[in-house]
Amino acid sequence: MGTKERRKREIEEMRLEIIEAAVQLFVTDGYENVSMRKIAQQIDYSATAIYKYFANKEEILIHLLKHGYAIFLTCLKEGVANCKSSHPGERLNALLYAYIDFGLKHPEYYRLIFVENLHQLQKVMTEEDDRVRGFVLLTEMVMAAMNEGVLKKHDAHMAAQSLWASLHGITSLLITFPDFHWHEKEGFIDFQVNAMIKGLT
Amino acid sequence: MGTKERRKREIEEMRLEIIEAAVQLFVTDGYENVSMRKIAQQIDYSATAIYKYFANKEEILIHLLKHGYAIFLTCLKEGVANCKSSHPGERLNALLYAYIDFGLKHPEYYRLIFVENLHQLQKVMTEEDDRVRGFVLLTEMVMAAMNEGVLKKHDAHMAAQSLWASLHGITSLLITFPDFHWHEKEGFIDFQVNAMIKGLT
DNA sequence: TTATTTTTGTTAACACTGTTAATCTATATT
DNA sequence: AATATAGATTAACAGTGTTAACAAAAATAA
């Protein structure tokens, strides 16, 4: 009898309902306003019912992070795909812009993943295919750019880490300190990306 | 009669006692474990007594931030002072290293100021002398380096913002993601600082 | 089908959090 | 000495994540 299968599916449906409610609360009210009681209220259950489907709030956070990280990877891949050129330098450039764009388009997710919960990133990515993980993507494109002579031949891993650092710097500062007297945004981003590339040339 | 003066001093002493307790809790247990009740316990008062001296917890946080920011500025100034050379390029270099060093030596403070509460920075600095504020210091040294031909003559403000972004990137990533497979720290920092400078040359 | 066991959800409760109101006490002013 | 003011305390409110005890419903065994 498939009763066991059905229950398994029902449990998965309930888990989905819970994280959907959590996502909705997160995008509308921000993470600081996602409480177990509010999630429960949204799906007409008691707060403690959730604990039959998730061990604790952290498990729900992990799902929010996975959700956001999937959007992140999509943005990166789209950004590179939208780059017509097949030149490694151009494609790397497109990736760098795509990273910053993700942050500016999804500031709550960027904050949640890269500012507040970076130490959890391992847990978020364990089930992902290695080849689509963000940093691997970046490293591969750095290597390609080096092989084509666009970048000077350093240690590709270190160069990629340096690029990530600079990308994270401008993205997180623009997001977490919007009231600072920043230079006009587009121009500032262009300047930073150019400086980053030039620094490795 | 100086009774009014004495009370004023006593109030200031009590405020000091409170923020000292808060600082101590912060450096030993981390900010997430600084609660009003724990501060009160440490100085043998009831939790609500604090509210006669501080409007709310945020006011105490501001003092923690000021405390940390003072250490930050001291580190920057010491870093530059310890640089024997009078060459603007060398001095700028020393400032960049001093910034990262502050983050690595005082990760809790770096996190509190530049990761979690950057939006409060205005409140932290309002009473400071303009000329010692961190970003102004950086901008001035960038200008000096430009005038000496060490850096290419861009908009100095934008160049300084770009440097800050890259500094914040590497510092915050090293702090908030210590378990990542970073390149050997010293070498990575050297690489990043060199790339930053080269990017603006 | 009936009896038993397991699972699912609810309410009550615990130990916290920041903060406000009411109250008592010690000091200062008239 | 009587009154007003300021200081400190306890009780309480509205939250938080989470655990325990218990009722109802569903799955399994007889």
Side-chain angles (χ1 to χ4, degrees), chain A residues 161-162 165 169 183 192 198 201, chain B residues 161-162 165 169 183 192 198 201:
Chain A
Q161 290 180 6
S162 166
H183 192 281
Q192 172 77 340
K198 195 178 178 204
T201 305
Chain B
Q161 290 179 5
S162 166
H183 192 281
Q192 172 79 340
K198 194 174 181 204
T201 306

Side-chain angles (χ1 to χ4, degrees), chain B:
Chain B
M1 51 192 87
T3 169
K4 220 176 227 169
E5 294 298 318
R6 196 201 60 203
R7 283 238 45 77
K8 215 172 177 180
R9 202 181 58 236
E10 280 175 358
I11 286 176
E12 210 47 51
E13 276 169 12
M14 179 69 167
R15 284 173 61 95
L16 210 82
E17 207 174 339
I18 291 168
I19 73 132
E20 267 173 7
V23 166
Q24 194 184 321
L25 279 171
F26 166 69
V27 296
T28 59
D29 305 349
Y31 183 72
E32 74 275 9
N33 290 102
V34 179
S35 78
M36 299 300 262
R37 283 172 176 84
K38 281 183 187 165
I39 296 171
Q41 190 180 310
Q42 193 117 83
I43 58 174
D44 286 313
Y45 277 84
S46 70
T48 53
I50 298 175
Y51 288 85
K52 286 270 143 65
Y53 301 90
F54 294 95
N56 47 40
K57 197 188 175 185
E58 191 183 321
E59 273 196 8
I60 293 174
L61 168 64
I62 299 291
H63 277 264
L64 284 183
L65 291 171
K66 281 185 176 167
H67 209 257
Y69 198 74
I71 298 172
F72 170 66
L73 288 179
T74 302
C75 284
L76 291 192
K77 283 185 274 186
E78 276 182 11
V80 175
N82 286 345
C83 167
K84 312 288 194 243
S85 171
S86 63
H87 285 67
E90 296 286 328
R91 294 173 67 78
L92 176 60
N93 224 49
L95 182 68
L96 303 183
Y97 277 101
Y99 183 102
I100 300 173
D101 279 353
F102 166 76
L104 300 181
K105 274 188 196 145
H106 306 277
E108 339 79 27
Y109 272 122
Y110 190 89
R111 214 192 160 96
L112 198 71
I113 300 170
F114 291 103
V115 177
E116 305 290 347
N117 297 97
L118 202 50
H119 59 285
Q120 307 258 32
L121 203 63
Q122 327 272 13
K123 292 181 194 167
V124 174
M125 298 198 306
T126 41
E127 292 145 40
E128 302 275 347
D129 179 4
D130 246 28
R131 306 210 61 246
V132 295
R133 282 160 57 174
F135 188 74
V136 176
L137 207 75
L138 178 59
T139 307
E140 282 172 358
M141 296 190 66
V142 167
M143 282 171 159
M146 284 178 177
N147 287 332
E148 292 287 321
V150 181
L151 295 186
K152 188 178 161 193
K153 284 219 172 179
H154 309 100
D155 177 345
H157 272 86
M158 183 144 71
Q161 290 179 5
S162 166
L163 286 175
W164 183 25
S166 300
L167 284 176
H168 172 66
I170 188 170
T171 309
S172 62
L173 284 187
L174 285 175
I175 289 173
T176 63
F177 200 6
D179 294 339
F180 188 64
H181 50 68
W182 298 114
H183 192 281
E184 177 268 325
K185 212 186 264 180
E186 309 289 320
F188 179 34
I189 293 171
D190 289 345
F191 185 91
Q192 172 79 340
V193 172
N194 283 341
M196 284 163 55
I197 296 287
K198 194 174 181 204
L200 301 183
T201 306

